[in-house]
Amino acid sequence: MILEESVLLVGAGGLGCGAALALAAAGLRHLVVVDDDVVEESNLHRQVLHKNAAVGMPKAQSLAATLAQRYPSVEVTQMQTRFDATSAARLLQGCAALVDASDNFRTKFLCNDAAVLARIPLVHAAVAGLRGQLLTVAAGGRPCYRCLFEDLPPPDAGVGPPAGPLGPVPGVLGALQGTEAMRFLRGAPAFVGRLLQYDAASLSMRLVRLRPNPHCAVCGTRPTILGLDPSAYSMQRSSP
Amino acid sequence: MSGLDPQAVGRYSRQIALPEVGSLGQARILAARIVLVVDGLVAETAARYLAGAGVCRFRSMARGSGLGDLAGVLAELNPDARVEAWPWPLEGTAWVSALEEQTVVLRVGFDDDAMVRAAVRVAVPVVAVRTDAASIDVLSLRRHGPCPHLCLDVPACLSNATESDPGISVLAGALAACEILDIVLRQAGPRARHLRLVLGPGEEPLAQDIPWAPECCACGGGASEARIPQQKLHD
């Protein structure tokens, strides 16, 4: 079944490639891909829409080209820019869902806040090593990503030599994102308010139900985040 | 980084840095031989991710039209990837020749006793995948059984393949690739695992070990033809 709505895909890396494949295969007609990075050799083991010859090419461009080759019916708009507080609202215009395929906390919180404020559904995912997680946030949240994680971590959180993930793991989570986004657009999401956790080492998945946090800064009963302030998404900002 | 050339070290550096992989694990991935039984989007997606991760040798037993496309797609991802065509379907002992010296078999749909028996006989693990419009079953059968022949009512749920949502097929392919790599990396002994994911509100994933049935005629105590000498358990 072809869907005419547009989906905004933030990130054209491991999660983004998996999501794009699933979205295109499932019949999405319009995909907007946002990424300001270029393809590196160390990306290739997991970012399967970037060909070996694409090293050095902008990721958004590379993903769009490969996807068009495999699924010519998909119209891909590539935005070689960063999804940030100044560009988020503009990029979200006209999109029916946001797929957060980013690889950093700053962008994940921004995606959540932007989607909740714009009342657009969000499908979040994250991977590390052989594990990953996924959460669907309904329009307006309740619950949302901040209900669970509240705020950006300290600036030095997660710092260290990059390792992983195992190649197909972001493919699993990305494909889940794409599938879930399509199911949302068709009115039947599976993971709203439920955190799905995947462990490739044990071939297992489990679901954790989330409750809305009444004190959530963006979707709580008295929200304090009413707009996207660029300074609020800086990793140099110290935690409150 | 013993056994890996500098180009491979650079390309697979993030994967090698994982404690579950390391240079030895990456070498195993590079040396793996994967059989894809039946073409389609599940097999294509799994092959993309496996080639990306470093698998270079594929044996494709397809219905015909997909092979050329797959070889080209994989070569663009991984210039060292090669796809060898084998006829399908096979009968009886021809499966033994097809599966000998292969590392893992990916089977889409599961209604093939002859393939199961051959896989058990030559001690090749099988990852079987079934999808429909809203669910996925992944069955991982490590060497020497358990197998789905009698061990559980898995054939009933795996063989009834119906038309799948293509997005779900992509997901299933990625899941299969993860499990295949885990088998390649661990080279572990017998284990069987079943993951069932139903994409619907309120549905819980099912992940379970499959017990071995001693009476199984393919891998159990009565399967004298299928039993493998003990020394091959650790090859």
Side-chain angles (χ1 to χ4, degrees):
Chain A
M1 188 170 80
I2 302 297
L3 282 183
E4 295 295 336
E5 288 96 333
S6 290
V7 170
L8 179 65
L9 176 62
V10 176
L15 289 170
C17 288
L21 277 171
L23 287 163
L28 185 73
R29 286 289 293 273
H30 305 285
L31 179 65
V32 181
V33 181
V34 182
D35 199 310
D36 66 345
D37 203 359
V38 296
V39 180
E40 298 178 5
E41 188 184 30
S42 64
N43 299 153
L44 300 177
H45 80 279
R46 64 193 187 278
Q47 300 180 14
V48 295
L49 285 180
H50 303 312
K51 300 174 185 177
N52 204 58
V55 173
M57 186 185 293
K59 285 188 178 180
Q61 178 184 343
S62 170
L63 185 149
T66 306
L67 203 65
Q69 188 179 18
R70 179 61 180 85
Y71 295 101
S73 63
V74 178
E75 180 185 303
V76 183
T77 301
Q78 44 165 307
M79 308 293 290
Q80 296 174 24
T81 186
R82 177 162 295 195
F83 186 81
D84 59 25
T86 57
S87 65
R90 172 176 55 84
L91 289 167
L92 275 170
Q93 271 186 355
C95 292
L98 169 58
V99 174
D100 169 20
S102 65
D103 62 356
N104 63 85
F105 293 116
R106 177 190 66 238
T107 307
K108 291 195 175 303
F109 277 90
L110 176 62
C111 283
N112 179 79
D113 298 348
V116 171
L117 291 173
R119 300 196 66 81
I120 290 173
L122 162 76
V123 187
H124 148 85
V127 295
L130 274 70
R131 296 181 176 182
Q133 66 184 31
L134 177 139
L135 172 69
T136 301
V137 177
R142 299 188 63 74
C144 76
Y145 184 73
R146 273 193 192 269
C147 290
L148 180 62
F149 295 108
E150 295 194 358
D151 205 352
L152 281 158
D156 59 353
V159 171
L166 186 67
V169 173
V172 170
L173 274 301
L176 268 168
Q177 287 183 287
T179 305
E180 178 69 350
M182 292 298 281
R183 293 184 68 84
F184 208 110
L185 296 179
R186 290 171 178 152
F191 303 113
V192 172
R194 302 195 298 166
L195 183 72
L196 177 74
Q197 295 175 318
Y198 167 63
D199 182 359
S202 61
L203 187 56
S204 64
M205 292 184 175
R206 68 172 191 150
L207 281 166
V208 179
R209 180 181 294 277
L210 297 184
R211 297 188 186 282
N213 180 356
H215 307 294
C216 176
V218 70
C219 75
T221 53
R222 292 180 184 172
T224 55
I225 296 176
L226 304 175
L228 301 178
D229 177 1
S231 65
Y233 303 98
S234 166
M235 289 296 288
Q236 298 304 313
R237 181 179 65 86
S238 57
S239 299
Chain B
M1 301 285 181
S2 59
L4 298 177
D5 64 47
Q7 188 174 10
V9 170
R11 179 190 170 101
Y12 303 112
S13 58
R14 292 280 294 264
Q15 203 160 254
I16 291 168
L18 284 169
E20 296 89 347
V21 180
S23 56
L24 179 60
Q26 188 62 52
R28 286 177 180 160
I29 294 172
L30 294 173
R33 299 166 182 251
I34 307 300
V35 182
L36 308 170
V37 181
V38 181
D39 55 7
L41 197 48
V42 174
E44 175 194 327
T45 304
R48 279 183 186 267
Y49 278 102
L50 291 169
V55 175
C56 298
R57 285 176 283 189
F58 296 87
R59 178 169 289 177
S60 176
M61 305 173 73
R63 278 182 272 255
S65 60
L67 175 63
D69 294 335
L70 182 64
V73 165
L74 298 189
E76 287 180 326
L77 281 171
N78 178 354
D80 297 324
R82 300 288 181 267
V83 182
E84 175 192 12
W86 266 64
W88 187 87
L90 298 180
E91 300 289 337
T93 56
W95 278 110
V96 174
S97 302
L99 302 186
E100 268 180 330
E101 298 184 358
Q102 303 303 301
T103 311
V104 184
V105 179
L106 169 62
R107 179 72 162 99
V108 182
F110 211 96
D111 51 2
D112 197 333
D113 276 356
M115 196 213 81
V116 171
R117 289 172 180 264
V120 172
R121 181 181 179 123
V122 298
V124 173
V126 175
V127 175
V129 174
R130 170 206 161 272
T131 63
D132 64 19
S135 70
I136 297 170
D137 287 281
V138 180
L139 189 63
S140 177
L141 306 165
R142 308 216 168 180
R143 58 186 73 191
H144 306 300
C147 70
H149 189 79
L150 280 182
C151 297
L152 195 70
D153 192 18
V154 172
C157 79
L158 283 191
S159 65
N160 297 330
T162 60
E163 193 165 323
S164 173
D165 179 321
I168 291 178
S169 295
V170 170
L171 171 57
L175 278 167
C178 278
E179 181 60 10
I180 288 170
L181 284 185
D182 191 66
I183 292 172
V184 170
L185 289 169
R186 294 200 197 205
Q187 300 197 331
R191 181 184 95 163
R193 191 91 175 137
H194 176 208
L195 171 69
R196 183 169 171 81
L197 177 65
V198 180
L199 296 170
E203 298 284 349
E204 297 285 332
L206 168 70
Q208 60 180 353
D209 288 328
I210 299 176
W212 177 59
E215 68 273 20
C216 176
C217 62
C219 70
S224 56
E225 283 190 359
R227 286 185 77 77
I228 307 301
Q230 283 296 305
Q231 59 268 26
K232 284 202 176 183
L233 276 172
H234 304 292
D235 63 11

